Amino acid sequence: MGPAPQTIAKQTIVKPVERGIELLDRVDYRLAETPADRDIIYRLRYRAYLNEGAIESNRDRRISDRFDDMANSWIFGVYLDGTLASSIRLSISSPQHPLTPSVDVFNDFLQQEVDRGKVMVDPTRFVAEPQLAGRYPELPYLTLRLCFVACSFFNADLGLATVRPEHRSFYRRLFNHQPLSPPRLYPGLIKPICLMAVDFPASREMVFTRYPYLRSSYFERRMLFERRAGTSARASVDSPFPSIVPRS
C-alpha cells in the first residue's frame, strides 16, 4: 500500500534496479521505536498520501492506526545519505499473532491462510518523501527490499502486497506477486487497493537470482528484526515469534 513508482513506469526496469544496488551503501534502515521517531514517520505518511491524492487533509497532519502499536509490527524509516526518504510498516501474521492490516481488510481471502497456520509478511504504509521520490526512482526497490529481508527472517510462506490497481503489473513483473482480490477501499484512504501475494518459498531463488540485491545476511536480518531488551515493550526476550525465527 503506497506509492509504487509512477516515474518508473516510463523507464526500463533494469536501470533503477542497477542504480538501487549502487545506492545500498548510502541507505540506512532504521527501526522507529521511540514516540519521536514514529511521529516523524506518521508525518511523512501524511505528506506522501496527501501529495498523491490518497487522503483528505486533516488537522493533525499525521497518519497512524492501531496496527502501528501491535506486537507483530515493525515500522522502518529508510534514510538516504542521512535524510528520511521513505518508510514502510511490516506486520507479520503468524499462528501466535495472526492479525495484520491485510488480514483485517482482506479477511475473506486470507483467513484460510491463517487457519492453515501460514506465516505472512504484510507490508503496508509504504510512502516516499515527495521531494525525493522523483529524484530517486530506485527508492521503491530499496524500500521494498525490507519485505524480502523479513520473509527470509521469519521463514514466510507468503509475501503480501496491497497496491493500487495501476501498480499491480509492477509487483507482478518484479517480485512475482499474483493478484488475489479485486480493488476495495482501505480504511482512511480514498483510492481503492488490491491484494497480491507471492509464494516466497517457491519464488525466492528466482527473485534473488534476478535481483541479488534483495538477498540479506543473517546478521542484517537479526539487526533489523530482533527486538532488543530495554528498547521496547516488545523486546527480543519476549519475542512473539520464538518458533519461526531461523537459526541459520
Side-chain angles (χ1 to χ4, degrees):
M1 177 175 52
Q6 290 137 336
T7 53
I8 290 177
K10 298 181 181 179
Q11 305 179 37
T12 63
I13 298 175
V14 176
K15 187 175 180 180
V17 172
E18 291 176 346
R19 291 178 59 190
I21 295 172
E22 295 173 359
L23 283 179
L24 267 178
D25 289 338
R26 297 164 54 188
V27 165
D28 185 19
Y29 299 120
R30 302 181 190 175
L31 181 63
E33 293 206 281
T34 69
D37 288 342
R38 290 190 171 208
D39 191 64
I40 292 171
I41 298 295
Y42 299 158
R43 293 182 184 281
L44 169 60
R45 290 176 183 173
Y46 177 82
R47 292 195 302 275
Y49 284 146
L50 191 66
N51 182 70
E52 65 182 28
I55 61 169
E56 301 285 357
S57 60
N58 68 53
R59 185 176 301 177
D60 291 338
R61 301 179 66 85
R62 61 203 298 276
I63 298 293
S64 63
D65 60 46
R66 62 191 174 108
F67 294 100
D68 288 320
D69 295 319
M70 287 193 172
N72 59 337
S73 288
W74 282 253
I75 302 171
F76 287 99
V78 180
Y79 288 76
L80 180 61
D81 296 330
T83 299
L84 179 62
S86 62
S87 176
I88 195 167
R89 178 178 65 197
L90 299 175
S91 302
I92 314 302
S93 176
S94 70
Q96 298 94 334
H97 290 264
L99 185 60
T100 70
S102 295
V103 171
D104 185 41
V105 174
F106 294 96
N107 186 264
D108 48 334
F109 290 93
L110 293 177
Q111 186 59 47
Q112 61 183 353
E113 306 298 342
V114 171
D115 293 341
R116 293 169 183 162
K118 295 292 183 69
V119 175
M120 298 179 283
V121 171
D122 183 11
T124 53
R125 299 303 190 192
F126 169 29
V127 293
E129 175 60 58
Q131 294 182 349
L132 296 178
R135 289 168 52 193
Y136 296 100
E138 50 279 287
L139 264 180
Y141 302 87
L142 295 168
T143 308
L144 293 170
R145 177 177 178 269
L146 283 167
C147 305
F148 289 87
V149 178
C151 282
S152 295
F153 184 78
F154 292 107
N155 288 332
D157 298 295
L158 294 175
L160 305 179
T162 48
V163 305
R164 297 212 297 268
E166 62 268 30
H167 297 153
R168 284 178 294 192
S169 61
F170 169 82
Y171 284 82
R172 184 188 301 115
R173 190 169 57 238
L174 267 72
F175 306 126
N176 204 36
H177 280 78
Q178 302 302 313
L180 296 184
S181 79
R184 66 177 55 170
L185 288 175
Y186 184 91
L189 299 181
I190 296 173
K191 298 182 178 181
I193 58 173
C194 310
L195 176 66
M196 304 184 75
V198 58
D199 182 330
F200 182 68
S203 300
R204 61 181 298 168
E205 288 309 316
M206 179 190 72
V207 174
F208 286 163
T209 298
R210 185 181 300 171
Y211 305 115
Y213 82 100
L214 294 175
R215 295 183 182 273
S216 58
S217 67
Y218 180 48
F219 177 77
E220 181 186 17
R221 297 193 290 270
R222 288 186 60 190
M223 291 296 292
L224 289 172
F225 291 103
E226 275 195 358
R227 311 277 192 191
R228 290 180 175 79
T231 61
S232 170
R234 304 182 299 275
S236 59
V237 293
D238 296 318
S239 171
F241 305 103
S243 64
I244 61 175
V245 175
R247 295 300 174 192
S248 62

